[in-house]
Amino acid sequence: MLSYIEKIFFYLLIFCIPFQTRKILFWNSNEFQSVSFYFTDLLIFSLFFFWFFRAFKTKKNYFNRLNAIWARKHIIDLSLVLFSIISLVSLIRADNIFLGIYKWIKLLEFIGLFWYVKNRYKEDGVFLREVKIPIIPLIFIFNAVFQSFISIFQYAYQRSAGLKILGESFLGIDIYGVAKITTENLKFIRAYGTFPHPNILATFILICLVFLFFLYIKIPNWNKKFTPHYFCNKNGAGVTKRKIKKDIIPLNGIILAGIYPLLIFSLYLTFSRVVFLLWILTSILFFIWFWRYDLYKRKVKELALFFIIYNLLFIILLFPELSFRFRVSLQEQAVSLRIFYIQIASVMISSFPILGIGLSQFPVKLSSFADIRNSWMIQPVHNIYLLMASEVGLLGLGFFLFFVICLMRNSLFKLKTNSQSVFNFSYIICVLCLLIIGLFDHFLITIQSGQLIFWVILGLSARNE
């Protein structure tokens, strides 16, 4: 019974990733210097309670297993432990020690979530006509459909959908700070869903599109099923005739004609350039890979065909906005600010190369390294690797990169041909996409929903089966 309740809490946590319901405990001019307690924090701590309670009941075997952390096969866990220690030590240079301690506790929380998914989660699945499909991708896809409807409403009416209880941002065309697309004569807000920024929504949908791709090629063609019907020919010999009967639920058709275009359209409405280009490149590589090795050729041809059709359709529908959005210039604010933050991060790294300026201290010390005239400019550098190097030093970044390399190596090594290998492969692809997105944005390690996506996907990739 306790194990069943624990699973419910875990699946509820996965479902609540997009929701920003929280209590702000301390606000200090901007999001990155404030303290909040999220509903998802409550769910994570509940999972830890179940985990520790189970460990206490079997404490002899559990603590014997803890000694194995020094073993070579636990090098991933050890690198995370050292990363967290370096992050704590870096706070000796912190100007805002209270914020630093809070962010360090949050870091431990998400490392703990990674360990929970890696060690406690045994992948359950649901049977869809003789094929077992993991529950986690299904929850992601179902939630992406929900987010897509919200996104379409936000773009169509250019305002919030009224889901403040789920943490939806207050949106409006004239509200300062809301992400917009500006054409020659008009402004349009970008779709947020219930996420705090369109780029996070785009990343979430990208993950779900990867899951949907593997779900579609995994399930069989259930367009028709056959029931036997017997009759005799002229010679009196028994002959079997198959009578065609259509399925009640054409799942392939629902995915291809319903869910697939819906997710693609919502991805377009985020106008997230990096994620969009990454999705296009990932899809093309998928098609080439499966075609090259003669895998699921019929399914891949169907997906590739509709991939072209849907993209052409949505490009035509949103051509004015897309044409302005993809005119990249060094004078554009999004580009110039990224260059500005990279320059500041480089100065910080060169000034404090070993331990950095302190965990979470980039926004705090930004004004000490540059002339900041507007409060909205106080935010981290849009690159998780430069952000780590500047805050916890090259030593901390080195342990994190070592963790990522070991995780990817072990995940690829464990990848084997079994009933779940397709979805194991999808988790690895998602990790690679997130690592690339981290080159252009910081939300994977600074914002609650981005951190949840990041550490859950890492845990799924590394989980012990």
Side-chain angles (χ1 to χ4, degrees):
M1 182 64 181
L2 190 64
S3 177
Y4 180 74
I5 297 175
E6 182 181 350
K7 285 183 180 180
I8 292 177
F9 271 81
F10 178 67
Y11 294 138
L12 180 61
L13 172 65
I14 301 301
F15 180 76
C16 291
I17 285 177
F19 307 143
Q20 305 305 301
T21 306
R22 63 173 175 169
K23 173 66 176 178
I24 299 176
L25 304 178
F26 176 76
W27 184 262
N28 184 19
S29 73
N30 63 71
E31 180 70 33
F32 306 106
Q33 300 182 68
S34 304
V35 176
S36 300
F37 185 80
Y38 291 80
F39 175 68
T40 47
D41 290 329
L42 180 62
L43 294 176
I44 292 173
F45 291 133
S46 299
L47 292 176
F48 291 165
F49 171 78
F50 287 115
W51 194 11
F52 293 148
F53 180 77
R54 189 180 302 275
F56 179 78
K57 290 178 63 176
T58 58
K59 58 184 178 180
K60 183 176 180 180
N61 293 331
Y62 179 77
F63 287 108
N64 286 339
R65 288 198 301 270
L66 275 183
N67 294 329
I69 195 172
W70 301 103
R72 183 178 180 183
K73 66 178 182 178
H74 289 276
I75 193 67
I76 293 177
D77 299 330
L78 179 59
S79 59
L80 274 183
V81 170
L82 294 175
F83 175 69
S84 63
I85 293 174
I86 296 299
S87 299
L88 178 62
V89 174
S90 72
L91 293 179
I92 59 176
R93 291 200 179 97
D95 289 348
N96 189 336
I97 190 66
F98 173 72
L99 177 65
I101 293 296
Y102 165 74
K103 292 294 185 179
W104 186 70
I105 293 173
K106 293 292 292 183
L107 175 63
L108 294 184
E109 175 188 356
F110 286 109
I111 290 177
L113 177 62
F114 166 79
W115 281 337
Y116 177 86
V117 178
K118 173 177 174 288
N119 297 294
R120 283 288 305 140
Y121 174 61
K122 305 300 181 185
E123 191 159 66
D124 294 326
V126 294
F127 278 94
L128 299 177
R129 300 287 188 84
E130 300 179 356
V131 178
K132 191 175 183 181
I133 305 297
I135 294 178
I136 297 299
L138 293 178
I139 296 176
F140 267 87
I141 293 170
F142 177 80
N143 216 333
V145 172
F146 179 58
Q147 293 296 318
S148 297
F149 285 118
I150 298 174
S151 302
I152 293 172
F153 179 93
Q154 291 171 344
Y155 188 78
Y157 291 94
Q158 291 294 293
R159 63 178 177 85
S160 306
L163 299 174
K164 185 179 179 181
I165 192 173
L166 300 180
E168 182 191 19
S169 300
F170 188 61
L171 306 177
I173 196 65
D174 297 320
I175 298 176
Y176 185 75
V178 174
K180 306 178 185 72
I181 301 296
T182 304
T183 63
E184 291 180 348
N185 302 315
L186 298 173
K187 290 182 179 180
F188 299 91
I189 65 170
R190 298 164 59 189
Y192 277 65
T194 58
F195 288 93
H197 195 275
N199 290 347
I200 312 178
L201 171 62
T203 301
F204 182 79
I205 294 175
L206 171 64
I207 298 298
C208 297
L209 281 168
V210 173
F211 288 156
L212 190 68
F213 180 92
F214 285 97
L215 174 63
Y216 185 75
I217 66 172
K218 179 68 176 178
I219 59 177
N221 283 315
W222 293 330
N223 301 329
K224 302 172 181 179
K225 72 178 179 181
F226 299 91
T227 54
H229 176 70
Y230 297 94
F231 68 97
C232 293
N233 58 18
K234 295 180 180 180
N235 299 326
V239 178
T240 301
K241 179 182 178 181
R242 288 189 172 182
K243 182 180 179 181
I244 297 176
K245 182 180 179 182
K246 291 192 175 181
D247 264 344
I248 299 175
I249 302 177
L251 187 58
N252 285 322
I254 292 174
I255 292 176
L256 204 59
I259 300 176
Y260 192 45
L262 184 64
L263 298 193
I264 295 175
F265 187 50
S266 59
L267 180 62
Y268 270 89
L269 295 183
T270 66
F271 296 96
S272 181
R273 291 174 292 200
V274 171
V275 178
F276 176 77
L277 293 175
L278 183 59
W279 171 68
I280 295 292
L281 178 61
T282 302
S283 298
I284 294 174
L285 291 177
F286 279 159
F287 299 146
I288 294 175
W289 174 270
F290 282 96
W291 187 268
R292 170 68 177 79
Y293 290 97
D294 198 21
L295 300 171
Y296 307 100
K297 269 195 171 182
R298 178 180 174 182
K299 292 292 189 71
V300 171
K301 284 194 295 185
E302 293 170 352
L303 278 171
L305 175 62
F306 282 92
F307 171 83
I308 296 171
I309 293 173
Y310 292 142
N311 277 286
L312 290 176
L313 173 63
F314 297 141
I315 287 174
I316 294 172
L317 288 175
L318 301 171
F319 181 76
E321 296 93 328
L322 289 171
S323 62
F324 276 90
R325 179 60 176 165
F326 281 87
R327 292 179 187 176
V328 181
S329 170
L330 293 177
Q331 284 70 44
E332 181 186 350
Q333 186 182 79
V335 177
S336 61
L337 280 178
R338 277 171 166 79
I339 296 174
F340 171 71
Y341 292 128
I342 289 173
Q343 292 172 343
I344 295 176
S346 301
V347 175
M348 290 179 177
I349 295 168
S350 61
S351 301
F352 306 97
I354 306 301
L355 292 176
I357 61 174
L359 182 66
S360 76
Q361 300 302 299
F362 191 100
V364 176
K365 295 189 176 184
L366 186 60
S367 57
S368 301
F369 288 83
D371 182 20
I372 304 298
R373 299 178 181 179
N374 299 306
S375 60
W376 60 266
M377 293 179 63
I378 301 177
Q379 52 184 296
V381 59
H382 289 63
N383 182 303
I384 64 172
Y385 311 105
L386 290 178
L387 182 58
M388 288 183 187
S390 59
E391 290 189 340
V392 298
L394 295 175
L395 188 60
L397 175 63
F399 281 121
F400 177 79
L401 293 177
F402 182 71
F403 154 72
V404 170
I405 292 171
C406 291
L407 182 145
M408 293 303 298
R409 177 181 175 276
N410 287 4
S411 298
L412 291 171
F413 180 77
K414 290 189 300 182
L415 191 62
K416 51 186 178 297
T417 55
N418 57 25
S419 60
Q420 299 298 331
S421 62
V422 166
F423 291 98
N424 291 337
F425 187 42
S426 72
Y427 299 145
I428 296 173
I429 296 298
C430 289
V431 171
L432 291 174
C433 289
L434 292 176
L435 294 176
I436 295 173
I437 292 171
L439 291 169
F440 303 95
D441 220 319
H442 58 74
F443 60 82
L444 294 176
I445 61 173
T446 58
I447 296 178
Q448 180 81 3
S449 53
Q451 291 173 295
L452 282 169
I453 294 172
F454 188 51
W455 292 103
V456 166
I457 295 298
L458 289 177
L460 289 173
S461 176
R463 76 191 187 285
N464 296 328
E465 296 184 281

